[in-house]
């Protein structure tokens, strides 16, 4: 379970998030919906420990991670454009988190194969990431984010930039993959339909910085 | 001359075709100058060696191998030390904005544009007497000089690495050190190879710094070439050493370019630097580096000024007064005349280098093919050292009617050759940036190609041309390597005068050397701030 309470984040001259609270139950997918610039990405980056927070707490599976550095939080983040490492091939990208966990080569190879199969790219392990299409990039990025088995996975606009038809098809596919892993997921999007496809519940982040939990009929 | 052909490719802007023809004709001037005063002397110097006994004697001499070994290891150590000092400040300047960041960038960049003898003089003023001559000073001077290379080349690449790329590694469990090692360094590797190569070549062919700080025991190949050619008159040995040095530099270029090609190319996007107060975790570390690095770089220059006002334990203006009151005549230096002469040399250098470089840069922009070859040829004065060029000139132009060795006019011509690659490098992107659409607009409004050039190109190029003038002026003021071969007592330049004063016994003369170096540093910094 992810529990965010009273989160306030400010930049040099303005408050980005003001007293935001959010609870995401175990194994569920929650979408955070809101217009551009409202602070959705900042919320995810704060949960991941990538931005300084002024107030509030972040608890993951009962552990207060508010003051832990990013790499010790056990929180995964899939970035908007994938952010695959250009100097590594597909398999090296996916196994990166496993190498940080000092898993041995056999475990790494097994997990990479398992995840690339899960995202329907089993033969892409030696591919240069610059040769991947937009959809393949997102799948590899998802596989990479899932590889270290994070407690909570954050997806930041995972389908932005893809064509509309393909985007919704891929949204269904990613949701299926995420459901099969039973992981707790927070997905940020500005697309209502994408949120409906992927999420069990939707949270609206308003321009005033408050969030209201809402449900969606699925 | 027909300027515009209707048969020209319809895809090309008509003015481009005209400009290409005009600059192709004008290229006769830089081509003649370059062939006569650069290619001919250097090729002559490197190929006229026919005495096999000189080759075998030089190559079997233990001194040669000792010098080659020292040249190599001091260059490797200089590269390593430069990266150790430069990488933290490069990271900070590439990633963060903070109060005073422009000052920090200015301070770390300044030594690179200063004459090598000034940097060497500054290091000498900092070190205790017993350490003034030796490898310590050489390495410190090389680091001061080359930090700017790493900041410029690696920093530009660092700014294209997405901050999200490092964040992605952090959320996958990588510690800051692991992020740096596994994600940042692989993306920086190509830029680091390039910067390392440039620093290596600069330090491997170092002359001014080693001539001032090496003393009698520490000599690089450059200094050894000079010693053999000028002090000992062993021209054959000097030729062999020049060939050995060129082969070594080319070997390093070949190895590094092979490795560098394997690295990923630079990304196109430059990411905005973030305000420091948005990054409180790094604030202390950043503050320490942002203060310590410029302090390390500025300290020797501050000491240079202080030492120029010191005589023993007292403060005095004597060293500065001695520059003007004729008391240095006893060591054969009339400083006001030297200064006046240097200004004339520098002004003449500007008048030669800027038009020649403008023609070369324009041609490289407008020509359909072969621009890479042209750029490589005009970069040769960087690869082939100034000492080799100076040496080539004295062994080539040594017979009537071409016995020009002692001719004063040769000095600004050679200074302009040394400045050429830098000025071409500065002007080329500025010429590329002139919009063809603006020229088209002027054409549709009735402007002839000449008027297009005058009203569009010439106006947009005004600032880059002024910068090019300042750059070539500074190069001339500080040029030391080739000038040592060409100058006579009647054509001494400021760097040569500084070297003479710093190398003579007596604190009074040394203080005047520091004063003159401080004056040259100030002049160069002011001129370069215009660039």
């Amino acid at each position: 379970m992810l529990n965010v309470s009273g989160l306030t984040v400010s930049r040099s001259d303005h408050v980005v998030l003001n007293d935001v609270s959010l609870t995401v139950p175990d194994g569920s997918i929650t979408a955070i919906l809101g217009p551009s610039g409202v602070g959705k990405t900042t919320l995810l980056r704060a949960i991941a420990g990538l931005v300084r927070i002024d107030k509030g707490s972040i608890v993951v599976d009962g552990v207060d991670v508010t003051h832990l550095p990013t790499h010790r939080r056990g929180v995964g983040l899939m970035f908007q454009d994938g952010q695959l490492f250009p100097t590594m091939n597909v398999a090296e990208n996916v196994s990166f988190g496993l190498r940080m966990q000092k898993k041995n080569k056999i475990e790494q190879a097994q997990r990479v194969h398992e995840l690339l199969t899960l995202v329907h790219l089993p033969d892409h392990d030696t591919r240069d990431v610059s040769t991947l299409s937009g959809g393949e990039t997102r799948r590899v990025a998802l596989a990479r984010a899932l590889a270290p088995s994070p407690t909570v996975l954050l997806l930041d606009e995972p389908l932005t930039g893809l064509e509309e038809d393909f985007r919704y098809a891929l949204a269904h596919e990613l949701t299926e993959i995420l459901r099969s892993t039973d992981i707790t997921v927070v997905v940020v999007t500005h697309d209502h339909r994408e949120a409906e496809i992927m999420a069990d519940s939707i949270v609206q982040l308003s321009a005033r910085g408050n969030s209201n939990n809402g449900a969606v009929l699925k | 001359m027909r300027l515009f052909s209707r048969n020209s490719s319809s895809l090309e802007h008509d003015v481009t075709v005209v400009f290409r023809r005009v600059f192709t004709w004008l290229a006769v001037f830089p081509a003649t100058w370059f062939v006569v005063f650069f290619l001919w002397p250097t090729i002559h110097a490197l190929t006229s060696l026919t005495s096999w006994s000189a080759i075998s004697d030089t190559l079997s001499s233990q001194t040669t191998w000792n010098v080659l070994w020292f040249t190599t290891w001091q260059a490797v150590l200089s590269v390593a030390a430069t990266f150790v000092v430069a990488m933290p400040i490069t990271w900070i300047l590439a990633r963060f904005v903070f109060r005073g960041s422009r000052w920090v960038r200015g301070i770390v960049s300044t030594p690179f544009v200063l004459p090598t003898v000034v940097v060497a003089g500054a290091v000498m003023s900092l070190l205790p007497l017993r350490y003034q001559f030796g490898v310590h000073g050489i390495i410190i001077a090389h680091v001061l000089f080359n930090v700017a290379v790493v900041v410029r080349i690696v920093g530009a690449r660092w700014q294209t690495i997405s901050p999200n790329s490092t964040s992605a590694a952090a959320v996958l469990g990588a510690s800051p050190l692991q992020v740096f090692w596994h994600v940042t360094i692989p993306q920086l590797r190509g830029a680091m190879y390039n910067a390392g190569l440039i620093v290596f070549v600069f330090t491997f062919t170092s002359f001014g710094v080693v001539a001032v700080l090496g003393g009698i025991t520490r000599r690089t190949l450059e200094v050894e070439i000079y010693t053999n050619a000028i002090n000992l008159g062993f021209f054959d040995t000097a030729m062999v050493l020049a060939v050995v040095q060129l082969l070594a530099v080319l070997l390093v270029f070949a190895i590094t370019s092979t490795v560098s090609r394997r690295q990923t190319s630079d990304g196109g996007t430059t990411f905005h630097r973030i305000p420091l107060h948005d990054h409180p975790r790094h604030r202390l570390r950043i503050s320490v580096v942002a203060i310590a690095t410029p302090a390390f770089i500025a300290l020797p220059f501050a000491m240079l000024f202080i030492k120029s006002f010191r005589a023993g334990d007292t403060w005095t203006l004597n060293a500065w007064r001695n520059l003007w009151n004729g008391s240095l005549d006893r060591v054969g230096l009339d400083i006001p005349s030297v200064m006046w002469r240097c200004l004339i040399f520098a002004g003449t250098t500007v008048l030669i280098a800027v038009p020649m470089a403008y023609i070369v840069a324009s041609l490289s922009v407008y020509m359909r093919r072969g621009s890479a070859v042209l750029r490589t040829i005009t970069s040769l004065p960087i690869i082939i050292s100034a000492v080799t060029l100076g040496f080539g000139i004295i062994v080539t132009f040594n017979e009537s009617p071409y016995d020009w060795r002692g001719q004063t006019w040769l000095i600004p011509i050679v200074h302009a050759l040394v400045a050429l690659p830098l000025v071409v490098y500065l002007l080329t992107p500025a010429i590329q940036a002139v919009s063809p659409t603006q020229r088209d607009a002027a054409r549709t409004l009735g402007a002839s190609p000449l008027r297009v050039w005058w009203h569009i190109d010439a106006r947009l190029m005004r600032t880059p041309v002024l910068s090019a003038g300042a750059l070539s002026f500074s190069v001339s003021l500080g040029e030391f390597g080739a000038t040592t071969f060409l100058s006579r007592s009647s054509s001494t330049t400021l760097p040569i005068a500084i070297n003479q004063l710093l190398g003579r016994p007596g604190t009074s003369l040394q203080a005047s050397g520091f004063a003159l170096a401080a004056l040259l540093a100030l002049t160069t910094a002011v001129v370069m701030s215009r660039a």
Side-chain angles (χ1 to χ4, degrees), chain B residues 251-267:
Chain B
L251 181 70
V252 173
F253 260 99
I255 294 169
T256 318
S257 64
T258 310
V259 177
S260 187
R261 262 201 296 275
R262 288 195 212 126
Q263 309 306 316
T264 49
S265 58
D266 289 6

Side-chain angles (χ1 to χ4, degrees), chain A residues 12 45 52 71 79 83 85 88, chain B residues 162 164-165 168 174 182 277 280:
Chain A
S12 42
R45 294 176 72 85
R52 174 178 61 96
H71 64 286
F79 289 82
Q83 285 300 331
F85 303 128
M88 304 175 196
Chain B
S162 166
N164 277 343
S165 172
H182 291 288
H277 44 70

Side-chain angles (χ1 to χ4, degrees), chain B residues 335-401:
Chain B
I335 298 299
S337 302
V338 172
M339 285 178 181
W340 180 238
R341 186 182 305 127
C342 278
L343 290 177
I344 293 172
F345 285 160
T348 314
T349 300
V350 174
L351 293 177
I352 300 168
V354 176
M356 297 294 189
Y358 191 95
I359 294 168
V360 172
S362 298
L363 196 59
S364 81
V365 171
Y366 300 131
M367 66 198 302
R368 282 212 192 94
R369 61 184 82 88
S371 58
V373 175
L374 184 65
R375 274 197 294 273
T376 306
I377 291 171
T378 48
S379 299
L380 284 175
I382 292 177
I383 300 168
I384 295 170
S385 71
V387 163
T388 306
L389 172 61
F391 175 56
I393 284 174
I394 62 163
V395 296
T396 304
F397 301 121
N398 61 351
E399 281 177 28
S400 182

